[in-house]
Amino acid sequence: MAMTQVLLLGGTFDAYMLSAMLHEAGVAAIYSYAGATRTRRTPPLPVRVGGFGGVRGLVDYLIAHQITHVIDATHPFAAQMSANAIAACSRLGLPLLSMERPPWQAQPGDRWQHVPDMAAAAKTLNPLSRRVFLAIGRKQLAAFAGLADRHRFVLRVIDQEGDALPLPPSSYELIVARGPFRLADELALLGQYRIDCIVSKNAGGADTYAKIEAARQLGIPVVMVDRPVLEPRTQCQSPQQAMEWLQRPRR
């Protein structure tokens, strides 16, 4: 893989695993992440933090750092970064791979209601669902701010510190924890807080799936936010497949 210079757009556990594989294989690579999460795993690669300044800024970065391959291993809901990567790589003719874990699929016993985004999720909440587990992180809580007088929320975030939450303090209880989460613990959490509805992104993967299993066992409905729709691009599902993609000869 002589002359290869990879830009790895990270932020997920799979991205971290791929960074270790690239390092072990001696592949020149730069690991980039947005920096929204303060508590994070440190990859064994040179790191850059923050945005690029849109498509134009990303194009400039790719040229300046002589990037030959881009691997998008951001969160499935980091739609803007993924769209920028598609546009920038198309403009420069660079190979782009999206490493994205498969979405969860509903199983017998699941009570899912699919919605396209957080605004629709907020509108979908049943007035009878008083205690809601918002398993969506910090960034999109504002969609639920107008419901604080009708619902009691339980929030789970990775970092204790961060931007002020856009909900009245009296409307929620905060849990600081990082996955993977065990089924027994999720069952205990849902029971302790008397949760009667869950709002979840369809993130896929095993780290946070236990809450979905727990909801199934307890018969709790889940408002499932579907992934953003992006332009078609080359995709894989694992770090091993990404390494194989890098080794393929280019025409």
Side-chain angles (χ1 to χ4, degrees), residues 71-153:
I71 300 177
D72 178 8
T74 57
H75 192 276
F77 283 80
Q80 188 59 64
M81 185 67 253
S82 294
N84 290 350
I86 293 169
C89 289
S90 175
R91 189 173 300 180
L92 296 175
L94 291 180
L96 167 67
L97 178 69
S98 172
M99 184 173 71
E100 186 173 288
R101 55 202 178 206
W104 298 319
Q105 302 295 327
Q107 305 297 319
D110 284 328
R111 298 173 59 195
W112 291 7
Q113 181 161 352
H114 290 273
V115 295
D117 51 40
M118 287 299 162
K123 292 178 181 178
T124 299
L125 284 184
N126 190 320
L128 299 179
S129 299
R130 295 289 301 171
R131 301 186 66 84
V132 181
F133 181 21
L134 293 180
I136 60 174
R138 289 177 177 269
K139 287 187 175 181
Q140 295 175 303
L141 291 173
F144 301 89
L147 305 178
D149 59 338
R150 284 179 278 166
H151 302 279
R152 178 73 177 177
F153 298 115

Side-chain angles (χ1 to χ4, degrees), residues 183-202:
L183 176 58
D185 295 332
E186 299 292 67
L187 287 167
L189 181 151
L190 297 179
Q192 175 186 348
Y193 291 100
R194 306 192 307 281
I195 298 299
D196 52 24
C197 184
I198 297 173
V199 178
S200 174
K201 299 175 180 178
N202 195 334

Side-chain angles (χ1 to χ4, degrees), residues 34-51:
T37 301
R38 290 168 172 78
T39 304
R40 61 184 182 273
R41 304 174 181 93
T42 302
L45 294 174
V47 171
R48 71 165 302 280
V49 181

